[in-house]
Amino acid sequence: MSEQRGTNRRRFLGLAVGAAAGLTACGSGEGEGQGRGPAASLSTRAPGGGTGTPAASRSAEAENGRPGNADWRITKAGPDQAIEGFADRVSVLPGESFGLNVSTTAPGFTVSAYRMGWYGGARARLVWKSDRLPGTKQPAFSVDQKTRTVRTKWSKSTTVDTTDWPEGCYLLRLDADGGAGQRYVPVTVRSRSAEGRTVVVNAVATWQAYNEWGGYNLYNGPTGGLPTRSLQVTFDRPYKYDDGAGLFLVYEAPLIALAEQLGIPLAYTTNVDVAADQAALQGATAVLSLGHDEYWSNEQRQHIAAARDAGSNLAILGANCCFRRVRFEPTELGPDRMVVCYKGAWKDDPGYKAGKPATTDFRSAPGADPESSLLGVIYDGYPVDAPYVVTNPGHWLLEGTGAKQGDSFPHLVGVEYDRVNTGFPTPRPIEILAHSPVVCDGRKSFADTAFYSTPGGAGVFASGTMRWVEALDAGTPEGGGDHGMDAKAGAFTRKVTENLLRTFAAGPAGEAHPAADNVAAVYGTPAGPPPKANAKR
């Protein structure tokens, strides 16, 4: 890990704390650290199932059977602005091209495209490398005075052709001449079809919401607080965090590595693409929302709800999911490259004035539609650091974990959490697997892991903690130490996630494993009333 990467991560953690300053209890900011490393060996048997390999998984197994390249990691980030860049497309289909806009103080640079996966623990494979390209220092950014949006006017440095690139999540590594610096640029080579596959949805809108490149994001501006934050942010700039990787390595890469290790048949897309194409999830066996997936458009939510209603399983492997309503707008580089979210200033949004939905919290007026009606759980607060407590050890998702009633896993609940709260719209039947006491800035509550089944047969799982994906690497040589999560937590979350992925890939999990509602038994009374107004900004 480079020293620069560590600095970026600490800045990201501090950003969440800064956003909370001066606000009311337990409800502002988010952000966590990072853990990476090979997962332990896993069995091939699904709970209650056989050991056969689905035909649709063979492509994933074949790809991950190829030699990996462990040298994908950045080891010398170099100073700020030594080299940085962004792609002019969030995603492309295999064989399509995209532009790469790069700024560097070096006379030249190369680009190496790494497909992220398992690859025997290497976690990436080098798919393509450019010739040496001429470097140039691009013009300084500007800031829109009305929306405080950071804008660049960078010229295209090269065009990248993805012919023969397999579908998947990629990090392009930029290497400046003479070891002057390195940065990542993420891009997704999305799948043409989700039919019969588990869909990984990269949460790029949330990555961008937290991206403080240029000094502004949807939380902070130069003053470090809300009054100078951006009202809309653009993909037409590099990512500041994790050497340009955004939030991908923290909240998404460990899950992708595990799923590909298991040979789960995967499809790949982004939330921008799900919002743009109502057929993007057609025929999917499951849809995965990963560790930090806070910012959704109305269209994304509608399309995921439709997939669930058609029998596609849904897994929420984080917390604070589907909390903010956003709108995508075009920039000079193309459609859907601006993320609009006015939050508390929604009345000032020209889009709202033109009749579009308010870009504020989903649970808030106007047009209140709490996320719990889709997820089963609802965001309850920040910040917490608490043990994860098992309360339903006989559940099929916990099969093979060895967990017993009351077993706990230190630090697995954090930094944000969700719970079942029937004071909000809650699908039934819903079954609580873990019920973890938390104290959020003096307020006692619970973080819940839950599973519900739908009339159409789908199963919906919610982990209830933002650290779930990070925990997959806990106790391995490369990950898990940021929050004190140990090897026991890592083994537990990997096994539960294996059970989840295998069962969800097999078909409608709510039909195979109908939820046995236990809310009254767990809470003793209805799980409400609604908490006081949330103070997230």
Side-chain angles (χ1 to χ4, degrees):
M1 179 196 308
S2 70
E3 180 180 353
Q4 181 68 33
R5 183 183 302 171
T7 301
N8 282 343
R9 186 191 312 138
R10 288 193 296 274
R11 177 70 186 110
F12 175 55
L13 287 164
L15 195 120
V17 175
L23 301 177
T24 58
C26 201
S28 178
E30 49 278 66
E32 277 297 325
Q34 168 175 333
R36 293 187 292 281
S41 60
L42 297 159
S43 72
T44 60
R45 181 177 293 276
T51 58
T53 301
S57 72
R58 291 172 190 159
S59 60
E61 290 183 336
E63 173 61 30
N64 272 271
R66 304 183 71 168
N69 300 88
D71 62 352
W72 62 271
R73 295 170 177 83
I74 284 178
T75 57
K76 189 176 181 182
D80 287 346
Q81 302 181 16
I83 190 166
E84 53 191 348
F86 63 88
D88 67 5
R89 303 275 297 276
V90 169
S91 73
V92 293
L93 290 169
E96 291 184 337
S97 298
F98 63 90
L100 196 58
N101 299 47
V102 177
S103 179
T104 179
T105 56
F109 67 97
T110 59
V111 184
S112 300
Y114 291 93
R115 183 186 181 279
M116 309 307 292
W118 172 242
Y119 299 106
R123 296 292 179 103
R125 179 174 77 85
L126 179 64
V127 172
W128 171 83
K129 186 172 182 178
S130 74
D131 296 329
R132 181 182 179 274
L133 299 166
T136 186
K137 186 73 170 66
Q138 301 270 13
F141 64 85
S142 62
V143 180
D144 184 278
Q145 294 304 303
K146 291 183 178 180
T147 62
R148 299 181 291 276
T149 301
V150 174
R151 297 180 181 272
T152 63
K153 297 287 186 180
W154 289 7
S155 59
K156 185 185 298 185
S157 303
T158 190
T159 298
V160 179
D161 180 3
T162 66
T163 298
D164 297 328
W165 290 25
E167 302 167 352
C169 303
Y170 283 77
L171 290 180
L172 310 185
R173 194 183 70 204
L174 310 177
D175 292 277
D177 283 357
Q182 298 174 305
R183 289 295 189 279
Y184 293 124
V185 176
V187 70
T188 301
V189 178
R190 70 182 186 274
S191 303
R192 294 185 183 276
S193 171
E195 187 74 35
R197 295 197 274 179
T198 294
V199 182
V200 172
V201 182
N202 297 134
V204 295
T206 299
W207 305 356
Q208 196 54 249
Y210 283 88
N211 182 15
E212 208 177 18
W213 190 92
Y216 294 80
N217 63 13
L218 290 179
Y219 292 85
N220 294 319
T223 65
L226 306 175
T228 58
R229 69 181 177 212
S230 294
L231 300 175
Q232 54 189 39
V233 290
T234 174
F235 290 106
D236 300 351
R237 58 177 180 158
Y239 286 105
K240 180 178 178 66
Y241 301 114
D242 232 346
D243 299 330
L247 305 186
F248 172 76
L249 289 172
V250 178
Y251 292 114
E252 303 192 9
L255 184 282
I256 293 166
L258 175 62
E260 293 203 353
Q261 180 190 8
L262 294 170
I264 301 297
L266 297 179
Y268 308 84
T269 191
T270 75
N271 54 4
V272 172
D273 299 297
V274 171
D277 181 7
Q278 62 182 356
L281 304 177
Q282 187 173 338
T285 55
V287 180
L288 305 182
S289 166
L290 303 184
H292 196 176
D293 190 9
E294 177 181 351
Y295 288 77
W296 289 35
S297 70
N298 258 11
E299 294 81 4
Q300 177 188 357
R301 180 165 175 176
Q302 290 164 5
H303 296 164
I304 288 180
R308 175 205 60 180
D309 294 345
S312 298
N313 302 306
L314 175 61
I316 310 302
L317 298 170
N320 187 223
C321 181
C322 190
F323 184 71
R324 312 280 193 190
R325 183 192 292 115
V326 304
R327 183 176 67 252
F328 296 119
E329 292 186 347
T331 71
E332 293 178 358
L333 293 185
D336 300 332
R337 293 189 61 81
M338 188 75 74
V339 183
V340 180
C341 193
Y342 275 64
K343 302 184 181 179
W346 53 268
K347 290 181 181 178
D348 300 328
D349 179 2
Y352 174 74
K353 293 178 181 179
K356 297 178 181 178
T359 53
T360 186
D361 301 349
F362 271 103
R363 68 179 68 179
S364 300
D369 186 12
E371 66 271 23
S372 55
S373 66
L374 175 65
L375 311 182
V377 296
I378 195 157
Y379 173 70
D380 197 60
Y382 161 97
V384 298
D385 180 275
Y388 180 97
V389 180
V390 173
T391 54
N392 192 353
H395 196 274
W396 60 269
L397 276 164
L398 273 62
E399 183 179 318
T401 64
K404 301 182 295 296
Q405 180 79 22
D407 279 358
S408 66
F409 300 88
H411 309 294
L412 181 52
V413 175
V415 61
E416 298 185 292
Y417 69 98
D418 298 339
R419 61 169 288 190
V420 172
N421 188 335
T422 55
F424 291 97
T426 304
R428 309 297 281 267
I430 188 165
E431 194 168 7
I432 297 171
L433 287 63
H435 186 59
S436 308
V438 300
V439 178
C440 192
D441 202 11
R443 177 173 64 87
K444 293 182 179 180
S445 189
F446 294 91
D448 292 326
T449 296
F451 172 82
Y452 78 84
S453 49
T454 72
V460 179
F461 170 84
S463 71
T465 172
M466 192 175 282
R467 291 181 181 164
W468 189 271
V469 171
E470 291 182 83
L472 298 175
D473 280 344
T476 69
E478 297 185 60
D482 288 324
H483 315 300
M485 294 183 291
D486 58 15
K488 181 182 172 184
F492 173 80
T493 54
R494 284 193 296 272
K495 184 59 184 175
V496 174
T497 307
E498 178 188 0
N499 292 343
L500 175 79
L501 292 173
R502 291 196 184 283
T503 301
F504 274 26
E511 186 177 286
H513 301 280
D517 199 297
N518 65 350
V519 174
V522 170
Y523 275 93
T525 60
K532 60 185 178 181
N534 194 282
K536 285 171 63 79
R537 294 292 187 269

